[in-house]
Amino acid sequence: MTHKPGIVITGASGRMGQMLIKTVLESDKATLVGAVEREGHAWVGRDVGEMMGGQPVGVTVTADALEAFSKAQAVIDFTAPEATLAFSKLAAQARAVHVIGTTGMTDEQIAQLEPASRHAVIVRAGNMSLGVNLLVQLTKKVAAALDEDFDIEVIEAHHHHKVDAPSGTALMLGEAAAEGRGVKLADVRDSGRDGITGARKRGDIGFTAIRGGDIVGEHDVLFAAAGERIVLRHLATDRGIFARGALKAALWGQDKGPGQYDMVDVLGL
Ligand SMILES: NC(=O)C1=CN([C@@H]2O[C@H](COP(=O)(O)OP(=O)(O)OC[C@H]3O[C@@H](n4cnc5c(N)ncnc54)[C@H](O)[C@@H]3O)[C@@H](O)[C@H]2O)C=CC1
Ligand SMILES: O=C(O)C1=N[C@H](C(=O)O)C[C@H](O)C1
């Protein structure tokens, strides 16, 4: 690629925002052209390199997302559902590829991305890592091979700052297991057991969320039957895996037509 796409990072001061800025600055395939934060945030008006504790990089953090997006070929967005919905409209206006890592979006919010995807490329995934997207494929295969004698449980663990549960990844894995079984996740989902719940319902897919300390992200898919268990596991120890996947998606989207894509498309899995 001779031309280096310009990238804007939203939620610049966040855990993922800072990792994404570092990843883009270190890349020889893309250029950092903007960094966006909420109106009133202490980083707005300041150089993003300095705010991250390093040398100035010549990019001033702004709250004017449209102005930033209009100079970019891609927006990488790991923020919050309401912000992501607003950014999808602005990225489409700027005809910039919108890479969405934000989790916790409702089905209604996801449906609201559709108008933007008629004008621009949207790549959205609850997990941008190669390992998890491979695990999704494996989960689908294992679920398809086993019958309901095997109870399926998705168990996830994250840091204590995480605001949504189950995680976006856990939902991807649950969807994959349901698809493998030929059922709809909404019909078999069992989340948040507490109290006298009754015995486990055959065919249900259960979810458990653990929150604590600085856990980056851990996911198990458990297939439990009488006398044996299979556990498929992914352990994330470095947020760089998500940032590298997101940058790959931003570059991949440059020559694609408007529409909604995911990391399975990007990685060709
Ligand atoms: N898809 C994936 O691979 C991954 C997804 N995530 C998801 O990314 C999201 C962010 O995670 P973290 O970085 O840990 O959270 P965080 O809380 O550290 O960062 C979120 C950032 O977004 C900013 N923000 C919120 N509303 C905004 C607005 N309207 N305009 C501009 N900035 C705004 C906040 O100020 C904050 O800096 C979460 O939904 C998380 O689940 C996290 C890691 C990997
Ligand atoms: O909030 C996080 O940190 C993470 N969120 C994503 C999710 O909800 O699955 C991906 C990763 O597990 C980290």
Side-chain angles (χ1 to χ4, degrees), residues 10-18 36-39 41 62-63 77-84 86-87 100-104 125-129 159 161-164 168-169 216 239 241-243:
T10 58
S13 77
R15 279 173 290 277
M16 278 307 300
Q18 294 194 49
V36 173
E37 254 305 340
R38 286 177 284 110
E39 191 77 59
H41 191 281
T62 179
D77 174 17
F78 287 59
T79 53
E82 285 300 335
T84 289
F87 292 148
I100 301 176
T102 306
T103 59
N127 195 305
M128 300 273 173
S129 75
H159 53 94
H161 299 290
K162 187 162 178 63
V163 296
D164 55 309
T169 311
V216 173
R239 289 187 174 84
I241 61 170
F242 312 128

Side-chain angles (χ1 to χ4, degrees), residues 20-75:
L20 286 158
I21 286 164
K22 186 168 166 282
T23 301
V24 174
L25 287 172
E26 285 170 1
S27 169
D28 58 2
K29 297 191 175 73
T31 311
L32 183 73
V33 297
V36 173
E37 254 305 340
R38 286 177 284 110
E39 191 77 59
H41 191 281
W43 285 28
V44 172
R46 310 288 299 276
D47 184 279
V48 75
E50 285 184 331
M51 289 298 95
M52 285 171 57
Q55 295 298 312
V57 296
V59 173
T60 303
V61 181
T62 179
D64 188 343
L66 183 58
E67 208 256 322
F69 294 2
S70 64
K71 295 182 204 135
Q73 280 69 55
V75 174

Side-chain angles (χ1 to χ4, degrees), residues 180-200:
R181 274 212 168 145
V183 295
K184 281 201 178 127
L185 181 59
D187 296 336
V188 295
R189 176 172 164 174
D190 185 6
S191 304
R193 294 183 192 109
D194 189 10
I196 309 292
T197 60
R200 192 185 197 286

Side-chain angles (χ1 to χ4, degrees), residues 12 46 52 61 99 101 108 135 174 188 199 214 222 231 235 251:
R46 310 288 299 276
M52 285 171 57
V61 181
V99 177
E108 290 70 30
L135 190 71
V188 295
D214 62 356
L222 167 69
V231 186
L235 303 178
L251 299 174

Side-chain angles (χ1 to χ4, degrees), residues 143-155:
L146 301 173
D147 65 17
E148 291 184 353
D149 286 347
F150 282 81
D151 296 324
I152 303 178
E153 293 283 319
V154 183
I155 303 133

